[in-house]
Amino acid sequence: MKKIYLSVLFIVTVSVVRAQQILICNNAKVSFFSSTVMEDIEGKSAVGGSVIDTKSGNIIFKVKNTSFQFKKKLMQEHFNENYMESEKFPSSEFKGKIKTPIDFQKDGNYKVEIEGILNIHGVNKAYKSIADLTVNKGILVAKAAFKVKIADHGIEIPTLVFKNIAEYVEVSVQASYIAKK
């Protein structure tokens, strides 16, 4: 009987530890901003999804391109039809790794290096960025910002509107993670 009890306790303990090493976020905020003399363009989404494996540091982040909202409806239409070609490339994705080791069980603020592959418009490109992580009572909040060169991802800007769209866009991400149950 004692062996059965210890076996069950071991299985439950391993299951709890394993569950705590996977963190998920289903409502990540992703935005991008492009500023030129002619016009500022900003798109925002609040439905990005992400998973972090705290043991390995692996991170996956994905957002549907059609989820971005703009102040002007015409901007949203041009973004999806002309630039992102959202029917052909429905989502953008980052697969990478948190390079700076941290204790996800310990409350605190951490600056970490993240590197990985960003896929936008069907084109993969390596990126490195610094992220701010805050661990507080089992919740992880991550914030990061980085610049993306539009041409690096095969997004063509027609010469007619070239002055309206910056060569680089500032991408910002904010996500709150909880342990997978």
Side-chain angles (χ1 to χ4, degrees):
M1 185 68 170
K2 188 176 180 182
K3 285 182 182 181
I4 293 172
Y5 174 75
L6 288 176
S7 296
V8 170
L9 181 62
F10 175 75
I11 291 169
V12 169
T13 303
V14 168
S15 297
V16 169
V17 169
R18 176 71 185 144
Q20 288 179 348
Q21 79 182 34
I22 302 297
L23 302 177
I24 60 170
C25 174
N26 293 318
N27 58 353
K29 295 177 177 83
V30 183
S31 64
F32 64 87
F33 184 74
S34 163
S35 182
T36 66
V37 175
M38 300 297 288
E39 186 171 36
D40 290 341
I41 299 171
E42 183 174 32
K44 294 180 180 182
S45 173
V47 294
S50 183
V51 176
I52 296 176
D53 182 334
T54 61
K55 187 172 182 178
S56 67
N58 290 336
I59 183 169
I60 297 173
F61 196 96
K62 193 170 189 174
V63 64
K64 289 182 78 169
N65 293 328
T66 55
S67 70
F68 286 95
Q69 302 294 308
F70 297 78
K71 287 182 182 177
K72 297 178 182 176
K73 195 73 169 165
L74 188 58
M75 282 183 184
Q76 189 166 335
E77 188 177 309
H78 287 169
F79 172 80
N80 285 301
E81 292 177 9
N82 302 339
Y83 305 121
M84 293 302 284
E85 300 177 273
S86 295
E87 282 189 27
K88 187 175 179 182
F89 307 106
S91 61
S92 297
E93 182 177 83
F94 177 81
K95 290 182 182 178
K97 187 171 185 85
I98 300 170
K99 301 299 286 183
T100 312
I102 69 165
D103 182 354
F104 288 93
Q105 301 296 319
K106 184 178 176 186
D107 286 359
N109 298 314
Y110 306 92
K111 277 206 180 299
V112 298
E113 181 181 4
I114 296 177
E115 66 179 33
I117 303 297
L118 179 63
N119 180 296
I120 298 176
H121 198 248
V123 177
N124 290 326
K125 179 153 174 45
Y127 282 86
K128 288 183 182 181
S129 183
I130 299 297
D132 293 313
L133 304 182
T134 301
V135 178
N136 186 15
K137 298 176 184 166
I139 297 173
L140 169 69
V141 175
K143 295 178 184 178
F146 54 97
K147 290 186 185 261
V148 173
K149 187 174 182 180
I150 294 171
D152 285 350
H153 291 278
I155 298 170
E156 296 179 14
I157 308 300
T159 53
L160 183 64
V161 293
F162 188 73
K163 292 181 181 179
N164 293 31
I165 300 173
E167 182 179 3
Y168 288 87
V169 295
E170 178 83 17
V171 177
S172 298
V173 178
Q174 181 176 342
S176 294
Y177 296 86
I178 58 172
K180 180 180 177 183
K181 295 181 180 183

